[in-house]
């Protein structure tokens, strides 16, 4: 995203703030009986009723300038993600909690997800990976080696950015192609910093193991990184293929990546393109922000998501416990002017710093707290760590296969199930020694 401050971003942040902090006892007493001192009850009083603020078709969401510029000179002051008709396809009753939008608003704003540009011809694609089980084991070992020096949050973010460009509108983008290797996607601001460094470091592994495609390598690295950082195991299967040339330039696939300043409507629109339900949306965002942080060179923000830094905290659902149970105040990123939220003075962790960065939340994080379709799920995860970890693991596995129909096909393929369970054959479980050798 751009480092240029957006006035609409600041307005949106203030509106979030107005609905995100716990009400004072006096206000609560007048509005309703005093809630029980638990996260879910507090949430129902402060957040559920504010969902209409999050689905406002007349308020520009942050990122409007970036999305609008893909289509040319439009300056229309309507929400670029106002068309939520596709939300009906997520297959869950949660969708009824989204507020209806006025017909016609933002109708021409599906710019980031418009079909591939006219005149662009998809390049030739590679064959799938052909590694043996032993080679896959060696690749996993290399991903955790000091020689490669891959940072776990960076690997997780790389996998997200590799596959998160998918749209079901025309089944383009996604993991297949590993488009992030080529301009314009390689030069996108969101793919700079630690993401660019991760791509470079993984070339060491690719050179040593040419049997694996870049797309498989990037996603396997993301799966392994979650567990190495202390998170749950994430199942992974090979089957992704590489492009031998770049993707389209206008719009580029990378322009489809969700923006950290999105409100609830923005999240709903973008995640629906992936086929994600509200539960999967909350799980993937919460898990991705349970460790690591935001860096200026890749996002324009500077914060750590928990005081644990680059590893998962204890408890592992601390991201949600703090998001839903703590008070937050608006702050401004000095270098870019972008607003974010930090823990209010006196909250546990408010004074914590990781490499000089405070514990913070992006506007899109706070949207999980104040948007009705997401808030109840976030409250559930704040109280149920095991459910959160299971849902995140499944959602991240689903993300790592977007746009890759070859993932998990029978024959010559197997599934990584984490360090405890290692590999299993697809279909009936197969012993390690019986897995097929490289072709």
């Amino acid at each position: 995203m751009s480092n240029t401050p957006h006035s609409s971003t600041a307005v949106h942040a203030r509106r979030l703030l107005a609905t995100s902090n716990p009400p004072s006892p006096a206000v609560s007493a007048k509005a309703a009986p005093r809630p029980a001192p638990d996260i879910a009850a507090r949430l129902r009083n402060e957040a559920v009723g504010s969902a209409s603020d999050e689905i406002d078709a007349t308020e520009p969401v942050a990122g409007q300038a970036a999305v609008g510029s893909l289509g040319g000179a439009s300056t229309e002051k309507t929400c670029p993600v106002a068309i939520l008709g596709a939300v009906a396809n997520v297959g869950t009753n949660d969708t009824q909690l989204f507020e209806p939008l006025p017909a016609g608003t933002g109708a021409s704003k599906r710019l980031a997800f418009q079909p591939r540009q006219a005149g662009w011809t998809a390049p030739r694609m590679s064959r799938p990976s052909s590694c043996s089980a032993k080679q896959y084991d060696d690749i996993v070992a290399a991903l955790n080696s000091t020689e490669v020096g891959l940072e776990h949050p960076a690997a997780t973010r790389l996998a997200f950015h590799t596959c998160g460009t998918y749209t079901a509108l025309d089944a383009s983008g996604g993991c297949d192609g590993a488009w992030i290797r080529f301009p314009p996607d390689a030069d996108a601001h969101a793919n700079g910093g630690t993401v660019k460094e991760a791509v470079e470091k993984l070339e060491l592994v690719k050179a040593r193991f040419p049997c694996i495609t870049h797309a498989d390598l990037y996603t396997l690295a993301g799966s392994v990184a979650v567990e190495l950082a202390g998170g749950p195991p994430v199942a992974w299967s090979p089957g992704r293929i590489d492009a031998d040339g770049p993707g389209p330039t206008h719009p580029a696939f990378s322009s489809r990546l969700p923006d950290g300043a999105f409100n609830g409507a923005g999240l709903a629109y973008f995640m629906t393109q992936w086929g994600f339900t509200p539960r999967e949306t909350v799980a993937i965002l919460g898990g991705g922000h349970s460790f690591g942080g935001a860096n200026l060179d890749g996002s324009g923000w500077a914060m750590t998501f928990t005081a644990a830094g680059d590893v998962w905290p204890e408890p592992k659902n601390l991201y949600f416990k703090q998001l839903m149970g703590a008070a937050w105040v608006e702050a401004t990123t000095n270098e870019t002017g972008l607003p974010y939220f930090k823990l209010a003075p006196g909250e546990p962790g408010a004074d914590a710093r990781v490499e000089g960065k405070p514990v913070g939340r992006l506007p899109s994080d706070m949207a999980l707290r104040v948007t009705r379709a997401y808030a109840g799920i976030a409250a559930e995860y704040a109280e149920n760590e095991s459910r959160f970890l299971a849902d995140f693991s499944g959602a991240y596995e689903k993300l790592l296969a977007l746009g890759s129909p070859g993932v998990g096909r029978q024959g010559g393929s197997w599934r990584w199930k984490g360090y405890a369970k290692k590999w299993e054959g697809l279909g009936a479980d197969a012993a390690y020694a019986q897995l097929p050798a490289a072709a």
Side-chain angles (χ1 to χ4, degrees):
M1 63 166 294
S2 171
N3 280 352
T4 303
H6 296 290
S7 59
S8 59
T9 307
V11 170
H12 173 59
R14 285 192 291 273
R15 296 185 65 178
L16 278 174
L17 183 62
T19 58
S20 63
N21 285 334
S24 66
V27 173
S28 297
K30 293 179 181 178
R34 186 177 179 84
D38 64 81
I39 295 172
R42 176 188 290 181
L43 169 73
R44 295 186 189 102
N45 277 271
E46 71 182 281
V48 171
S50 66
S52 59
D53 290 338
E54 287 305 282
I55 314 293
D56 185 347
T58 63
E59 177 192 3
V61 296
Q64 175 176 325
V67 175
S69 66
L70 296 173
S74 174
T75 57
E76 185 179 350
K77 297 299 183 181
T78 54
C79 177
V81 291
I83 303 303
L84 294 180
V87 174
N89 298 324
V90 300
T92 169
N93 291 332
D94 287 341
T95 58
Q96 66 187 355
L97 298 176
F98 285 102
E99 296 291 334
L101 295 171
T105 55
S108 63
K109 293 292 187 177
R110 284 189 171 187
L111 300 175
F113 284 108
Q114 63 186 232
R116 291 164 288 187
Q117 67 185 49
W120 177 71
T121 301
R124 189 170 63 178
M125 305 295 279
S126 72
R127 295 175 62 87
S129 300
S130 59
C131 305
S132 67
K134 177 61 168 61
Q135 286 173 316
Y136 278 123
D137 259 352
D138 291 342
I139 291 170
V140 169
L143 293 174
N144 192 31
S145 68
T146 56
E147 176 188 2
V148 175
L150 192 62
E151 297 178 357
H152 304 323
T156 306
R157 185 174 174 85
L158 170 59
F160 188 102
H161 284 210
T162 297
C163 301
T165 61
Y166 177 74
T167 175
L169 290 180
D170 67 349
S172 66
C175 311
D176 272 3
W179 308 104
I180 200 170
R181 294 171 296 143
F182 304 106
D185 297 295
D187 298 331
H189 183 72
N191 293 332
T194 58
V195 174
K196 183 180 180 74
E197 292 172 4
V199 171
E200 295 170 351
K201 290 177 179 179
L202 286 175
E203 283 304 307
L204 298 174
V205 182
K206 172 64 175 173
R208 181 178 169 190
F209 299 97
C211 61
I212 192 170
T213 62
H214 286 91
D216 271 347
L217 178 60
Y218 296 168
T219 51
L220 178 57
S223 172
V224 170
V226 169
E227 190 176 6
L228 288 175
V234 177
W236 175 92
S237 299
R240 301 159 195 80
I241 54 180
D242 290 344
D244 66 1
T249 59
H250 186 74
F253 286 138
S254 57
S255 67
R256 300 170 173 179
L257 293 170
D259 193 305
F262 274 156
N263 61 7
L267 290 178
Y269 182 79
F270 269 69
M271 295 302 181
T272 297
Q273 308 307 317
W274 298 352
F276 270 39
T277 66
R279 179 168 293 276
E280 289 169 330
T281 297
V282 177
I284 197 71
L285 292 177
H289 288 181
S290 285
F291 66 116
N295 300 306
L296 288 172
D297 55 4
S299 70
W301 282 283
M303 69 183 72
T304 182
F305 295 127
T306 76
D310 287 351
V311 298
W312 283 68
E314 290 294 344
K316 297 189 188 302
N317 60 342
L318 180 62
Y319 167 89
F320 285 108
K321 286 184 175 295
Q322 290 184 317
L323 176 69
M324 307 307 292
W328 298 84
V329 295
E330 184 183 356
T332 301
T333 307
N334 292 335
E335 295 84 350
T336 62
L338 292 176
Y340 70 100
F341 298 89
K342 66 180 182 179
L343 290 167
E347 287 284 352
D351 297 326
R353 296 292 184 274
V354 175
E355 297 180 352
K357 295 183 289 188
V359 175
R361 294 289 183 269
L362 301 172
S364 58
D365 292 311
M366 201 61 67
L368 301 182
R369 173 169 166 158
V370 303
T371 304
R372 279 188 286 183
Y374 302 138
I377 303 167
E380 178 187 353
Y381 289 159
E383 298 177 328
N384 191 331
E385 179 185 88
S386 60
R387 178 63 187 269
F388 160 52
L389 294 177
D391 287 353
F392 168 69
S393 183
Y396 197 51
E397 180 185 4
K398 180 176 178 177
L399 169 68
L400 299 185
L402 291 178
S404 301
V407 171
R409 287 183 175 173
Q410 293 280 2
S413 189
W414 42 89
R415 191 176 190 223
W416 168 256
K417 297 198 71 176
Y419 281 91
K421 297 182 179 180
K422 303 275 288 190
W423 300 94
E424 70 171 8
L426 292 177
D429 286 358
Y432 179 89
Q434 296 174 331
L435 293 174

